[in-house]
Amino acid sequence: MSIQAWTYLIVGLTFAVYLGIAAWSRAKTTSAFYVAGRGVPPLANGMATGADWMSAASFISMAGLISFMGYTGTIYLLGWTGGYVLLALLLAPYLRKYGRFTIPEFVGDRYYSQTARVVAVFCAVFVSFTYVAGQMRGVGVVFSRFLEIPVEAGVIVGVLIVFFYAVAGGMRGITYTQVAQYCVLIVAYIVPAAAISWKMTGNPVPQFGFGGTLVDGGAAAGGQSAGIALLEALDGIHRDLGLPEYTGAFVPGKKSMIDVLAITAALMVGTAGLPHVLIRFYTVPNARAARWSAFWALLFIGILYTTAPAVAAFARVNMIQTLHEQPYESAPEWFSNWEQTGLIEFQDKNGDGIIQYSGDAETNELRVDRDIMVLANPEIAELPAWVVALVAAGGLAAALSTAAGLLLVISSSVSHDLLKSVFWKDMSPRAELFAARAAAGVAVVIAGYLGIDPPGFVAQVVAFAFGLAAASFFPILLLGIFDTRTTKEGAIGGMLAGIGFTAAYIIWFRFVIPEAGADQWLFGISPEGIGIIGMFVNFAVTMVVSRMTPEPPAEVRQLVEEIRLPGGSRDD
Amino acid sequence: MSDSNERSRLSRAHWHDNLRVMGILLTIWFVTSILLSIVFVEPLNQFKLGGFPLGFWFAQQGSIYIFIVLILIYAVWMERIDRRYHLEAGKSDPKSEMSDGGIY
């Protein structure tokens, strides 16, 4: 069977499963629609959180990014897992104990202010939309490469699937679909990684093969370096090509220590402030289940995140050894497959018909898009067609599951936090459920449009969503739980100051004077990492203003004391 | 001492213990992620762990394992503290009794 036939078969099967789950889990109440009736067991919620969290970017792009960055790729690995420790210890159990349906609702109650709630709604919707556009784009790219249909048609198929299960099933449908999607994506990630690890190092566990030695097993396994440690071989290859060493930390050509620290911290704190992850903890029965669920979530995420850097290193060795100094005429089949997509490019600068890869931009003849590293990996390693198809299904699972989680945040923010609480206070539960479905439907369509025709700024802004979340949500949620003295004036001022400072810095250095170098950055921190300074600005403003304004009312103090205890619940 | 006084004393003691657990675990979190993986990565890279330079291993493998273990310890430890103060999540929360628990 051809790759394409396998892809239709496996993708078709997984889609049938998702639709079956959606039909089975139709949401009939607002509680089922917003928080899956709070009956999700911690283990299942951990899987759903994993799929919710691991987006098209984690599945498709991350290993490729690390592959080109070497040590510096640590910013993603630590940033996107370390945040779960903050989430588990500082936020999840308390937000679960608080109950209710959304994050803006917590902000509004804790800060006794509709204004704070509306500010939170706009932050949540903005962050979620920039994210979801990227997911839809990922769906389109996978479809176009593996099923050879146009990106636009791929996005439309993705929109229809998500529309069906998110609108009908709400959080209940999304949760159980995400459990299935986690299983698909993790198998799709691990199978090729294990096969490549086994081929190259003789150890089928990628986490160990990563630190193993290369075996002599043909061109794909890098015969010429047999017998030496993979990472040592990789550092050697990099030196020969005039590139900074792969495992080298702050060597010239890589990010500085202060920048690595800032970006890592901004991603960690941003992770803990993302609404689509936080609301997953509303779906479990109680605070204790929320703690367990955070553990399961990070365990399931960690399986992929400890495999990714291994895949990155394997792909790097493979890519260079199969292409560098090889005649273009005899380039492997996957090379021409991917050449058609424009994601890999050979430009014969010295006209010798041989591919030369180099750290020097003048003589380098090979341009490889980081996004193809994971998708092309099974082909590079000459794995069977069904593995390639499985990877396509995994990429789709990762993109669809994250898109659905984000859409629910948008829908509940609009129907619950804006319509019900601001514009139409005596809305009946039936009308609210209808509004939630309608909002989800509209959001899916807008997301699809953004995926087909993304405005130029979307791709650039999505990388900053974490910094903005770190500078706006995280300090307010944290102080809301740990400091009873924080007032609404402090919180609103802090959110606006944090997000304002961060956005201004990003716009200044990214769009106004993009040519500015590290010497002009504040403390040498790039726009990607500035969210962490924005977070400190937010903390400072919130705490100072809070101490200059009247104390919060007694019932807020009581609310905070209540959510600090694990027992009982205020669910509605 | 009245019941509500007793309850608020227990609540404060529980919160105090909770903060101590958090402090310990977050210190370990900071040491592994910020110090071992980033600040001291270069000196640590002089040592080897199998085929890995040690600092590089902490940055791309070890820290993640430690994060997972930290949350596991938190979940188990907090459960013991909840029990000590008789503040289990299941108590006074009839809804959760049927599905209370971690590992299913």
Side-chain angles (χ1 to χ4, degrees):
Chain A
M1 254 163 81
S2 71
I3 289 182
Q4 207 178 339
W6 272 111
T7 309
Y8 272 108
L9 181 71
I10 296 184
V11 170
L13 276 177
T14 57
F15 279 17
V17 170
Y18 306 155
L19 293 177
I21 293 172
W24 163 75
S25 59
R26 232 179 101 80
K28 295 192 186 69
T29 62
T30 47
S31 169
F33 193 90
Y34 292 138
V35 291
R38 305 197 197 273
V40 181
L43 179 78
N45 192 45
M47 282 192 185
T49 310
D52 197 43
W53 174 239
M54 291 187 283
S55 58
S58 287
F59 188 92
I60 298 171
S61 311
M62 191 175 65
L65 276 169
I66 300 168
S67 192
F68 286 90
M69 296 166 87
Y71 165 79
T72 312
T74 299
I75 56 179
Y76 303 115
L77 295 167
L78 290 185
W80 288 337
T81 56
Y84 273 83
V85 179
L86 299 176
L87 190 66
L89 272 60
L90 300 173
L91 302 175
Y94 310 107
L95 289 176
R96 172 59 194 87
K97 172 66 190 298
Y98 158 75
R100 308 295 163 88
F101 292 144
T102 69
I103 298 301
E105 197 173 10
F106 172 75
V107 175
D109 282 1
R110 167 61 184 85
Y111 294 114
Y112 45 101
S113 154
Q114 284 288 37
T115 315
R117 187 167 178 179
V118 172
V119 170
V121 166
F122 280 108
C123 293
V125 170
F126 177 74
V127 170
S128 301
F129 258 126
T130 49
Y131 237 89
V132 84
Q135 304 310 314
M136 285 302 172
R137 192 75 193 163
V139 171
V141 169
V142 173
F143 268 112
S144 70
R145 165 62 189 89
F146 291 97
L147 301 177
E148 287 168 24
I149 59 176
V151 172
E152 291 75 19
V155 171
I156 291 169
V157 174
V159 164
L160 289 175
I161 298 276
V162 175
F163 189 89
F164 187 76
Y165 74 73
V167 172
M171 189 55 125
R172 228 165 96 82
I174 289 171
T175 301
Y176 291 101
T177 322
Q178 281 174 338
V179 171
Q181 282 160 336
Y182 175 79
C183 299
V184 172
L185 80 87
I186 202 68
V187 171
Y189 207 83
I190 298 299
V191 167
I196 294 167
S197 180
W198 185 63
K199 264 189 154 170
M200 290 178 69
T201 66
N203 192 326
V205 182
Q207 287 83 346
F208 296 142
F210 190 17
T213 53
L214 290 166
V215 295
D216 186 8
Q224 35 189 299
S225 313
I228 58 168
L230 172 91
L231 287 168
E232 218 168 287
L234 197 44
D235 282 343
I237 294 170
H238 271 218
R239 273 194 301 273
D240 294 344
L241 294 174
L243 292 161
E245 282 186 11
Y246 191 83
T247 63
F250 311 113
V251 292
K254 291 197 177 185
K255 290 188 194 301
S256 66
M257 185 193 289
I258 180 81
D259 204 18
V260 169
L261 278 173
I263 297 174
T264 306
L267 294 179
M268 282 179 175
V269 177
T271 299
L274 282 177
H276 72 290
V277 178
L278 291 169
I279 55 163
R280 285 242 47 99
F281 294 94
Y282 282 22
T283 66
V284 295
N286 53 44
R288 172 175 180 247
R291 299 195 286 246
W292 277 105
S293 166
F295 161 70
W296 289 117
L298 188 60
L299 178 70
F300 293 133
I301 292 166
I303 295 173
L304 190 142
Y305 272 65
T306 51
T307 306
V311 169
F314 298 147
R316 188 81 184 147
V317 174
N318 254 335
M319 199 266 298
I320 295 174
Q321 293 197 338
T322 44
L323 295 180
H324 181 56
E325 294 297 346
Q326 300 296 320
Y328 178 65
E329 288 304 309
S330 61
E333 197 192 331
W334 64 266
F335 187 84
S336 42
N337 282 346
W338 284 94
E339 234 180 349
Q340 291 159 13
T341 64
L343 294 176
I344 189 162
E345 222 171 19
F346 167 59
Q347 198 191 351
D348 197 1
K349 287 183 182 151
N350 58 7
D352 63 357
I354 293 172
I355 303 168
Q356 270 114 8
Y357 186 63
S358 160
D360 180 359
E362 291 289 302
T363 56
N364 178 35
E365 302 181 333
L366 185 66
R367 194 193 62 80
V368 186
D369 190 285
R370 62 190 191 220
D371 279 358
I372 74 167
M373 294 307 257
V374 165
L375 296 176
N377 224 357
E379 293 169 83
I380 299 177
E382 297 165 335
L383 299 177
W386 64 268
V387 179
V388 181
L390 191 59
V391 171
L396 289 171
L400 292 175
S401 57
T402 306
L406 291 162
L407 288 167
L408 195 91
V409 169
I410 296 170
S411 127
S412 62
S413 296
V414 171
S415 62
H416 193 66
D417 293 314
L418 281 184
L419 270 185
K420 175 127 196 262
S421 80
V422 179
F423 296 113
W424 186 9
K425 290 204 162 89
D426 51 356
M427 184 153 67
S428 73
R430 256 184 78 124
E432 191 186 344
L433 186 58
F434 178 79
R437 286 195 211 279
V442 173
V444 180
V445 173
I446 297 175
Y449 169 73
L450 291 175
I452 290 173
D453 184 19
F457 67 88
V458 166
Q460 283 178 297
V461 169
V462 78
F464 302 117
F466 286 90
L468 296 172
S472 59
F473 273 126
F474 181 76
I476 297 309
L477 296 176
L478 187 74
L479 290 174
I481 297 161
F482 289 87
D483 178 31
T484 48
R485 186 68 181 81
T486 303
T487 65
K488 70 173 173 194
E489 293 85 357
I492 296 171
M495 269 198 278
L496 294 177
I499 207 163
F501 167 81
T502 308
Y505 189 91
I506 291 170
I507 291 167
W508 179 252
F509 281 108
R510 191 53 46 150
F511 301 104
V512 181
I513 49 162
E515 69 284 354
D519 48 334
Q520 293 184 43
W521 292 339
L522 182 66
F523 312 126
I525 296 173
S526 60
E528 286 84 354
I530 200 65
I532 199 68
I533 305 295
M535 180 198 79
F536 286 119
V537 169
N538 184 336
F539 270 120
V541 170
T542 306
M543 291 169 85
V544 170
V545 172
S546 289
R547 274 149 189 82
M548 298 185 331
T549 43
E551 276 191 43
E555 59 266 26
V556 167
R557 207 170 259 278
Q558 209 181 341
L559 166 77
V560 174
E561 268 160 25
E562 217 174 288
I563 62 175
R564 288 176 175 182
L565 296 174
S569 174
R570 302 162 50 97
D571 301 352
D572 53 16
Chain B
M1 201 186 276
S2 76
D3 265 9
S4 78
N5 267 344
E6 172 65 7
R7 188 166 162 78
S8 89
R9 193 189 60 81
L10 279 180
S11 303
R12 268 198 304 277
H14 178 274
W15 182 243
H16 198 260
D17 280 7
N18 183 358
L19 292 179
R20 196 170 57 97
V21 170
M22 275 171 34
I24 294 169
L25 297 178
L26 286 177
T27 305
I28 301 173
W29 169 83
F30 180 84
V31 168
T32 47
S33 60
I34 302 297
L35 298 185
L36 298 182
S37 301
I38 301 176
V39 175
F40 298 115
V41 66
E42 283 180 330
L44 283 175
N45 275 348
Q46 291 159 11
F47 304 98
K48 290 266 166 185
L49 184 79
F52 291 104
L54 187 60
F56 182 83
W57 181 81
F58 269 113
Q60 302 209 338
Q61 295 280 305
S63 288
I64 301 175
Y65 300 134
I66 292 167
F67 295 156
I68 297 170
V69 173
L70 286 177
I71 304 184
L72 177 65
I73 295 172
Y74 175 69
V76 173
W77 200 346
M78 284 308 295
E79 235 162 65
R80 289 181 51 184
I81 290 174
D82 292 352
R83 262 200 305 274
R84 190 183 315 147
Y85 294 100
H86 305 289
L87 290 167
E88 291 95 328
K91 284 214 171 165
S92 73
D93 183 12
K95 239 194 246 172
S96 64
E97 255 157 40
M98 53 190 182
S99 49
D100 182 33
I103 316 187
Y104 52 85

